[in-house]
């Protein structure tokens, strides 16, 4: 069933909770793929009622980013969402979400300074504000996010802890294509040549993982090697290649336990991200 009104979604949530049932939420921007459906399947296993939200949130896009051309296909999304176990699809419009001229922004500091937050300072405040709103609208017991957006998952967990949202955050592993490219709605933008070249993100992560296993301790050496690999690819432009502590996201010089290798690379005009967590 499709729900477009906040009041209706909240009434459904209240009724579900009154019946003693657990609500699982999967927040998405739609154009669903196997990454999303995997999250929905997890929610199906962990909750009695599954709500998938589809909302392309304007406040997390920069003025020159792809908000207007972000792929949308509600007909297809409906089929995929229901097939994977969604009970309610929450699909509000901008008037419903932001029509009251809001003056409140939810911001998580520090964790949002680096990686994607450094070049896109508007992004995480947009994310944490919309996710807070979704939490208050859907009233979930559990919410499922993907490790694909590793910084986002950490930021949401911190927000939930800091603001005492009574919600369990479950982070699901990255779903990849057969050749290792992380599945993403934005892969649709890639030409066939770019699509082939986009495998460089996962290839460099694997290369770095191999070098770590060989015993290379210096992160700068690994970053330089990854950078050289990416720079050989036609029309690839690095936004960042970093190795950080997987808990606090601070840069690491010499390898220590629980690191995350993270990168954002433009292939042509398409910005792709990927990451790998390695426990040393
Ligand atoms: P999006 O629609 O891109 O905002 O993504 C919605 C949710 O799906 C986020 O929690 C993402 O981290 C997650 N997600 C997107 N792609 C993948 C993937 N390839 N593997 C796992 N989770 C994903």
């Amino acid at each position: 069933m499709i729900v477009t009104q906040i009041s209706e979604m909240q009434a459904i949530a209240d009724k579900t909770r009154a019946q003693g049932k657990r609500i699982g939420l999967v927040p998405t921007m739609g154009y669903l793929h196997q990454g999303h459906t995997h999250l929905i399947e997890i929610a199906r296993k962990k909750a009695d009622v599954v709500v998938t939200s589809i909302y392309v949130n304007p406040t997390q896009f920069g003025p020159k980013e792809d908000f207007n051309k972000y792929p949308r296909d509600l007909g297809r999304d409906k089929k995929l969402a229901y097939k994977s176990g969604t009970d309610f699809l929450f699909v509000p419009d901008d008037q419903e979400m932001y029509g009251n001229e809001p003056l409140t922004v939810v911001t998580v500091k520090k964790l949002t300074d680096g990686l994607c937050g450094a070049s896109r300072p508007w992004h995480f405040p947009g994310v944490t504000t919309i996710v807070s709103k979704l939490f208050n609208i859907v009233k979930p017991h559990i919410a499922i996010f993907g490790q694909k957006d590793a910084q986002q998952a950490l930021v949401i967990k911190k927000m939930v802890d800091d603001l005492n949202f009574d919600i369990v955050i479950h982070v699901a592993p990255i779903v990849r294509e057969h050749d290792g490219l992380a599945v993403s709605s934005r892969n649709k933008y890639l030409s066939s040549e770019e699509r082939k070249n986009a495998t460089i993100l996962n290839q460099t992560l694997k290369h770095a993982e191999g070098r770590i296993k060989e015993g290379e301790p210096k992160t700068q050496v690994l970053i330089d090697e990854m950078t050289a690999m990416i720079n050989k690819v036609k029309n690839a432009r690095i936004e960042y290649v970093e190795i950080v502590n997987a808990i606090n996201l601070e840069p690491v010089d010499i390898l220590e336990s629980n690191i995350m290798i993270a990168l954002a690379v433009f292939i042509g005009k398409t910005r792709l991200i990927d990451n790998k967590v390695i426990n040393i």
Side-chain angles (χ1 to χ4, degrees):
M1 178 186 164
I2 293 225
V3 180
T4 58
Q5 303 296 307
I6 292 171
S7 56
E8 189 188 0
M9 191 67 246
Q10 286 173 323
I12 290 167
D14 287 344
K15 200 171 146 200
T16 305
R17 281 181 164 260
Q19 291 167 347
K21 292 181 181 162
R22 287 175 63 76
I23 303 172
L25 169 65
V26 180
T28 82
M29 297 205 299
Y31 210 70
L32 301 183
H33 51 62
Q34 305 103 287
H36 299 116
T37 54
H38 182 56
L39 304 188
I40 297 169
E41 284 159 9
I42 293 173
R44 183 73 273 160
K45 288 197 188 115
K46 293 187 174 284
D48 302 306
V49 169
V50 174
V51 180
T52 300
S53 63
I54 295 183
Y55 182 59
V56 185
N57 173 37
T59 67
Q60 68 192 67
F61 287 78
K64 291 185 185 148
E65 291 187 333
D66 57 342
F67 172 70
N68 283 323
K69 70 167 188 151
Y70 195 84
R72 293 162 168 89
D73 187 344
L74 187 56
R76 188 174 155 277
D77 285 352
K78 271 197 248 178
K79 285 186 204 138
L80 281 172
Y82 293 139
K83 201 170 147 212
S84 349
T86 299
D87 297 300
F88 296 97
L89 261 182
F90 180 56
V91 191
D93 64 15
D94 292 340
Q95 175 62 26
E96 187 69 3
M97 289 309 260
Y98 292 114
N100 62 340
E101 293 178 28
L103 301 175
T104 306
V105 176
V106 179
T107 313
V108 174
K109 293 190 269 190
K110 214 165 161 184
L111 278 178
T112 56
D113 288 347
L115 303 179
C116 295
S119 54
R120 307 176 74 210
W122 54 81
H123 177 68
F124 287 112
V127 168
T128 38
T129 303
I130 194 70
V131 170
S132 299
K133 284 167 73 70
L134 289 170
F135 284 173
N136 285 324
I137 294 166
V138 177
K139 310 187 189 191
H141 297 80
I142 180 166
I144 324 285
F145 292 85
Q147 176 66 15
K148 159 93 185 335
D149 299 272
Q151 186 176 18
Q152 167 174 281
L154 282 171
V155 166
I156 302 268
K157 275 187 173 174
K158 185 67 179 140
M159 175 188 85
V160 162
D161 193 28
D162 287 351
L163 298 183
N164 309 104
F165 281 107
D166 190 10
I167 300 171
V168 173
I169 303 300
H170 180 95
V171 182
I174 302 177
V175 176
R176 297 180 180 279
E177 302 280 3
H178 63 282
D179 59 2
L181 177 67
V183 182
S184 164
S185 306
R186 288 189 168 100
N187 293 351
K188 176 188 158 58
Y189 299 147
L190 300 168
S191 70
S192 59
E193 189 190 15
E194 289 171 343
R195 170 65 188 78
K196 281 184 205 135
N197 292 342
T199 55
I200 191 65
L201 278 84
N202 187 46
Q203 280 166 21
T204 57
L205 291 172
K206 279 190 163 164
H207 170 80
E209 186 182 29
R211 297 279 285 118
I212 290 169
K213 285 197 179 134
E214 280 168 25
E216 174 56 59
K218 293 196 201 82
T219 57
Q220 194 56 51
V221 171
L222 301 169
I223 290 169
D224 289 346
E225 289 176 7
M226 293 173 75
T227 303
M229 283 173 74
I230 296 166
N231 284 340
K232 282 195 195 125
V233 173
K234 191 178 157 199
N235 290 333
R237 180 169 62 80
I238 294 173
E239 183 182 295
Y240 66 77
V241 175
E242 290 199 47
I243 300 181
V244 295
N245 178 297
I247 311 289
N248 62 24
L249 300 185
E250 289 188 3
V252 168
D253 291 332
I254 298 290
L255 288 178
E256 54 177 51
S257 59
N258 273 6
I259 54 114
M260 178 166 74
I261 314 171
L263 70 172
V265 176
F266 282 87
I267 301 289
K269 288 186 176 154
T270 305
R271 182 179 180 277
L272 301 175
I273 58 172
D274 203 345
N275 69 82
K276 192 175 268 294
V277 172
I278 299 175
N279 299 323
I280 293 161

